Amino acid sequence: MKRLKNSWNMVKGCLVSAAVFGVVVGVFLNGVASMSNRMNQEGTETLQSAIARASVQCYAIEGRYPPSVQYLEENYGIRIDRNRFNVFYEGFASNIMPNITVIPVTEKRGR
């Protein structure tokens, strides 16, 4: 009888340990996901700001806003990681600040 009671206590101890381990792993993974989301958001804001600054710089130097993001990449040192970000650049006229939208890529594209 004492042996059965010791076995049961051992099983309960293992179950409690496994539950605590599961909670710790869950909290860790949640923290990693939160940090990843924050880094994506900051990267998006940084890229959008860099494109806007380069557009204004182009306007100050050339007297017109750039016709495309590719123009900024070729002439103003903008680097875009196309695997991480989609950039939408809509210019209405060469003397009006373009609408710049940067969206993080959420899906992995298979090739």
Side-chain angles (χ1 to χ4, degrees):
M1 187 67 149
K2 189 172 185 170
R3 195 176 213 186
L4 183 61
K5 193 173 186 178
N6 285 340
S7 292
W8 180 245
N9 285 337
M10 185 181 237
V11 169
K12 285 195 304 188
C14 287
L15 289 175
V16 168
S17 295
V20 169
F21 179 74
V23 168
V24 169
V25 168
V27 168
F28 175 76
L29 292 177
N30 186 35
V32 168
S34 175
M35 183 179 235
S36 177
N37 287 339
R38 193 170 343 145
M39 288 175 61
N40 266 346
Q41 183 178 4
E42 288 176 7
T44 301
E45 292 169 1
T46 300
L47 180 58
Q48 188 163 349
S49 176
I51 293 171
R53 279 193 315 270
S55 296
V56 170
Q57 182 181 13
C58 178
Y59 186 78
I61 293 170
E62 300 180 21
R64 64 181 176 92
Y65 286 104
S68 66
V69 174
Q70 289 77 19
Y71 186 83
L72 292 174
E73 288 177 304
E74 293 168 4
N75 298 292
Y76 288 89
I78 293 295
R79 301 285 176 249
I80 300 170
D81 183 353
R82 304 248 185 232
N83 293 323
R84 288 185 59 207
F85 301 105
N86 290 319
V87 177
F88 301 96
Y89 184 92
E90 301 173 58
F92 176 70
S94 64
N95 63 340
I96 296 175
M97 178 71 171
N99 184 20
I100 302 163
T101 306
V102 177
I103 300 173
V105 173
T106 55
E107 296 181 4
K108 299 288 183 193
R109 289 181 254 180
R111 289 193 178 214

